[in-house]
Amino acid sequence: MTVLAADPVKEKASAQKTWVFLFDELDKVEATAKPKDWEDVRSLLGGKGANLFEMTRLGLPVPPGFTVTTEACNGYLAANHEFPTGMWDQEVVAMHEVERKVGKTFGDPKNPLFVSCRSGAKFSMPGMMDTVLNIGLNDETAKGMIELTGDPRFVYDSYRRLIQMFGSVVMGVADEPFEEAIAEQKKKRGVRHDVELTAEDWQALVEKFKTLVKAYKSQEFPQDPYKQLEMATRAVFNSWFGKRAIDYRNATNISHDLGTAVNIVTMVFGNMGNDSATGVAFTRNPADGTKELYGDYLINAQGEDVVAGIRNTLPIMQLKQDMPDAFNQFLEIVTKLENHFQDMQDVEFTIERKKLWMLQTRNGKRTARAAIKMAVDMNNEGLITKKQAIGRVTPEQVDQLLHPQFSAEIKKSASKEGRRLVSKAVNASPGAAVGMAVFDADTAAEWGKAGKAVIMVRPETKPDDVHGMIAAKGILTSRGGATSHAAVVARQFGTPAVCGAEELAIDVDHRIFQVHIDDKLVEVREGEWISLDGGTGEVFLGQLPTQDPDFDNEVELNTLLKWADEVRKLGVWANADYPKDAVRARRYGAEGIGLCRTEHMFFEEERLPIVQEMIMATSKARRLSALERLLPVQRGDFEGIFRAMDGNPVIIRLLDPPLHEFLPSFHDLVADLADLKVRLQHFHTLSEIDTALGQVRAKEDVLSRVKALSESNPMLGLRGDRLSVVMPEITEMQVRAILEAAVRVKREGIDVHPEIMVPLAGHVNELKYIKEIVDRVAAEVFAESGTTVDFKYGSMVEVPRAALTADELAEVAEFYSFGTNDLTQTTFGMSRDDAESKFLLEYTEKGLLPSNPFQQLDRGGVGKLIKMTVELGRATRPEMHMGICGEHGGDPNSIEFCHLAGLNYVSCSPYRVPIARLAAAQAAIKHS
Ligand code: ADP
Ligand code: MG
Ligand code: MG
């Protein structure tokens, strides 16, 4: 070691890269890797590793061990599966350090050290990459261990686990032959549970397992501990590109180039007798957020047993009686951890002969409901700030909470209507799910892709099932508890799940499950409907109807959204065409209506004939008569919306038609005509023929009008404000309906702020032409009623020309609203329907587009036009109010863009208003 400053260049050249760090070397990590922040540490050591280091630094009882970095993994994968130079030597040196610390030697039969090999990527991917326990066991060390412990049953059980895990995870032998061998042994001995097998049984199984490995892989199970270590390290690296891991990353948007770290941890044994145990726990209830210790443990068991759902676990609070000292220490530790990480922790622990060991801690996964409750509670407890609380909940989680639920009445009446409650089991992940039963992941994925609602029914789930679980509306298992694989994955994806429904006899091979209802055995086959309530753990046969959640009574959600309202810069408005939508929009927190479309109003049954008459009218007089009858109807609609919005602005868009949509289709008309003409041949009397001919003529009129209206490019045809140019009387009627409604509602003492919006304009002259109509009608209405209302006149921005000349348009338009769906179509020059059905998927799959631009706003192109409009528009009219309407208004990523572009508000469907409130706040915090 040089004490004086060494030549830095020379030192760099000779210093070898550090690939391996011991758990107590966090200082060294910081000194050599120079991480900028904790995220960087997690990138290097993986999430599991980083937290093992941190727990060690906090002085908690973590078994000694070391971590091989994600950099080493990436180096290995890049170099054709060769360990980076120096890595293996460092791993061996680290192993000797661990030996020194624990006073045992890896592979030494007299005093053997055993380790686990655990993967750990930056983001936890539960069950994605398997852990191998008990590495270092072989024929020799097993004997030595028996001498030391006097417990051959424990030793052979551990040894067979090693061969089993190593065989399947590292060497690629399927797990089934091992499980079958155990089942066979149990049958032979006439016992039902693993715990009833003796030392001799496990010893026999060890031998059997070795032959299984040999038979399946024509390779011996490696006896050399270092060979075991090396192969396990490789297997973890390789698993980064295993199918399961790739699927999971695709489903959760985790980048594929992060790599995984390898954690080597001294084994501690929860299966050393009745003073040993192993378990998992959450510092708060991950299903509903209650502040209570939540989890399971097993006495005399090892690692995976708890999550695998093979044995029925004990609730964590029971540990207080079983092992009070260990429990108290545990409680103290997890409280410290929650305070330290300022978030709910998900921990794994093992008690070896009364001594507690911490094996993992991480921020726990939680349901939407729990996330919201915890965020609000933790702020109230002073643990986190309001801004942190806002960041703890994702917009998708808010969406989940607002999903349909079963009502209590419906469930009560369920038994009467042949939809029977058949089980009440573990409420593993809340929400209502209705779907057809399927019994394997592939079918679930296939049916799900075909658009069917399915519920995946399994005895238990495994990591291989994840693709099916993602596709399912709900998950139902007959084994396992709240921390089983099925439960953890379901909560992660927000999928409702009921676990451990023991009443169900699931027969996966025959694709059925059986259940007793009042002594009668009922059978449910694949494809039959079932309903789950993941919040209560109830399982019903048949399809239960769902209902909307009770937003007003979501106290925590409303608190969190109020905090969001305090920080967000964007207004949140809603698109609503009917008074009932407007009411919902207000309830969900909308501050205005950003888009009220008038087309839908025209489609309603009693109005459609009048609308058709108006379109068919060959003379202006006739058209006016039809319009006169439409006027009161439209006025009524607007009155309802103005009342519901009670003083908040309402933007009403003038009719934006494809007129032909209001008429029968060309094909139907041709078919009808052919039919009529055939019938004509069978008529005899003159009057019969006369009426029939009259009918033919009427149909022919409609047909010729449909033909006249048909366009070769409807997307670029007579749409938007072009109608106002061709048939100004329609616009006159609409403006009159809007303003008369406004006058009437104003007289009721309600504040009204109508804003009249022109669709699709691209030239300032269009706006001027329509403004003349608007001003003329307004003057008439105000004169007639002797009242005036304050209204605005503005334009949509839906075609590039509007964006390009936004300074000119702003001379007439008082506000802009971006119709981003059409703006995306016209900017890309692609029609959405054609694009999505024919080629867009190829574009995203081949990486030509990062995402579907109709779902997530295309910042580079469409976004540029928006920014340009903002700049040009406000150059003419400095305070010009602008927002977006259309689906993008409810998409968090697009909302972030709107915040950055300086828009005043986003307008989205009423259901997405709460999501947008949160997303807008998160954007404001992120870019403050
Ligand atoms: P996962 O990411 O799937 O949870 P882990 O690496 O955490 O995988 O390990 C799986 C199980 O094995 C956990 O229950 C864990 O507590 C246990 N385990 C891992 N390493 C050890 C060890 N050194 N001693 C005892 N149990 C261990
Ligand atoms: Mg695992
Ligand atoms: Mg774990």
Side-chain angles (χ1 to χ4, degrees), residues 108 177 222 253 299 392 394 628 652 679 725:
D108 176 5
N253 269 331
I299 291 202
R392 289 289 165 85
T394 65
E628 219 163 274
I652 296 164
R679 295 223 313 266
V725 175

Short mmCIF file of all heavy atoms in Angstrom, two decimals, residues 108 177 222 253 299 392 394 628 652 679 725:
data_model
loop_
_atom_site.label_atom_id
_atom_site.label_comp_id
_atom_site.label_asym_id
_atom_site.label_seq_id
_atom_site.Cartn_x
_atom_site.Cartn_y
_atom_site.Cartn_z
N ASP A 108 -15.46 -27.81 3.70
CA ASP A 108 -14.70 -28.54 4.73
C ASP A 108 -15.66 -29.42 5.54
O ASP A 108 -16.51 -28.91 6.28
CB ASP A 108 -14.02 -27.53 5.65
CG ASP A 108 -13.29 -28.21 6.82
OD1 ASP A 108 -13.25 -29.47 6.83
OD2 ASP A 108 -12.79 -27.49 7.70
N PRO A 177 -40.18 -34.49 -11.97
CA PRO A 177 -39.66 -35.80 -11.53
C PRO A 177 -39.27 -35.80 -10.06
O PRO A 177 -39.48 -36.80 -9.36
CB PRO A 177 -38.42 -36.02 -12.41
CG PRO A 177 -38.41 -34.97 -13.43
CD PRO A 177 -39.48 -33.99 -13.16
N PRO A 222 -22.75 -31.90 -9.44
CA PRO A 222 -21.36 -31.60 -9.07
C PRO A 222 -21.12 -31.68 -7.56
O PRO A 222 -21.84 -31.06 -6.78
CB PRO A 222 -21.15 -30.17 -9.58
CG PRO A 222 -22.52 -29.60 -9.68
CD PRO A 222 -23.45 -30.73 -9.97
N ASN A 253 -42.52 -2.99 -18.25
CA ASN A 253 -41.71 -1.91 -18.80
C ASN A 253 -40.38 -1.72 -18.10
O ASN A 253 -39.94 -0.58 -17.90
CB ASN A 253 -42.48 -0.59 -18.71
CG ASN A 253 -43.28 -0.38 -19.97
OD1 ASN A 253 -42.87 -0.85 -21.03
ND2 ASN A 253 -44.40 0.29 -19.84
N ILE A 299 -42.77 -23.14 11.18
CA ILE A 299 -41.76 -23.68 12.09
C ILE A 299 -41.07 -24.84 11.42
O ILE A 299 -41.70 -25.60 10.67
CB ILE A 299 -42.44 -24.09 13.42
CG1 ILE A 299 -42.90 -22.81 14.11
CG2 ILE A 299 -41.52 -24.95 14.28
CD1 ILE A 299 -43.13 -22.90 15.57
N ARG A 392 -46.26 8.35 -4.25
CA ARG A 392 -46.35 6.95 -3.85
C ARG A 392 -47.46 6.17 -4.55
O ARG A 392 -47.60 4.98 -4.38
CB ARG A 392 -46.59 6.86 -2.33
CG ARG A 392 -45.40 7.24 -1.50
CD ARG A 392 -44.31 6.20 -1.58
NE ARG A 392 -43.05 6.71 -1.08
CZ ARG A 392 -42.70 6.70 0.20
NH1 ARG A 392 -43.52 6.19 1.09
NH2 ARG A 392 -41.54 7.19 0.57
N THR A 394 -49.53 5.42 -8.17
CA THR A 394 -49.46 5.61 -9.62
C THR A 394 -50.86 5.93 -10.15
O THR A 394 -51.86 5.51 -9.58
CB THR A 394 -48.95 4.35 -10.34
OG1 THR A 394 -49.91 3.31 -10.16
CG2 THR A 394 -47.60 3.90 -9.81
N GLU A 628 -86.10 23.55 -36.99
CA GLU A 628 -86.95 24.18 -36.00
C GLU A 628 -87.40 23.18 -34.94
O GLU A 628 -87.54 23.51 -33.77
CB GLU A 628 -88.18 24.76 -36.71
CG GLU A 628 -88.63 26.08 -36.18
CD GLU A 628 -89.55 26.71 -37.20
OE1 GLU A 628 -89.03 27.39 -38.14
OE2 GLU A 628 -90.77 26.49 -37.11
N ILE A 652 -68.72 23.81 -26.06
CA ILE A 652 -69.60 23.02 -26.92
C ILE A 652 -69.07 23.10 -28.35
O ILE A 652 -68.82 24.19 -28.88
CB ILE A 652 -71.04 23.57 -26.86
CG1 ILE A 652 -71.57 23.40 -25.43
CG2 ILE A 652 -71.92 22.83 -27.85
CD1 ILE A 652 -72.79 24.22 -25.15
N ARG A 679 -91.05 -7.80 -55.22
CA ARG A 679 -92.43 -7.87 -54.74
C ARG A 679 -93.41 -7.20 -55.72
O ARG A 679 -94.55 -7.63 -55.88
CB ARG A 679 -92.54 -7.23 -53.36
CG ARG A 679 -91.75 -7.99 -52.29
CD ARG A 679 -92.49 -8.14 -50.99
NE ARG A 679 -93.11 -6.91 -50.52
CZ ARG A 679 -92.51 -6.07 -49.65
NH1 ARG A 679 -91.31 -6.34 -49.17
NH2 ARG A 679 -93.14 -5.01 -49.23
N VAL A 725 -70.13 25.85 -43.62
CA VAL A 725 -70.00 26.61 -44.87
C VAL A 725 -71.07 26.17 -45.85
O VAL A 725 -71.71 26.98 -46.51
CB VAL A 725 -68.58 26.42 -45.45
CG1 VAL A 725 -68.46 27.11 -46.81
CG2 VAL A 725 -67.54 26.94 -44.47
#
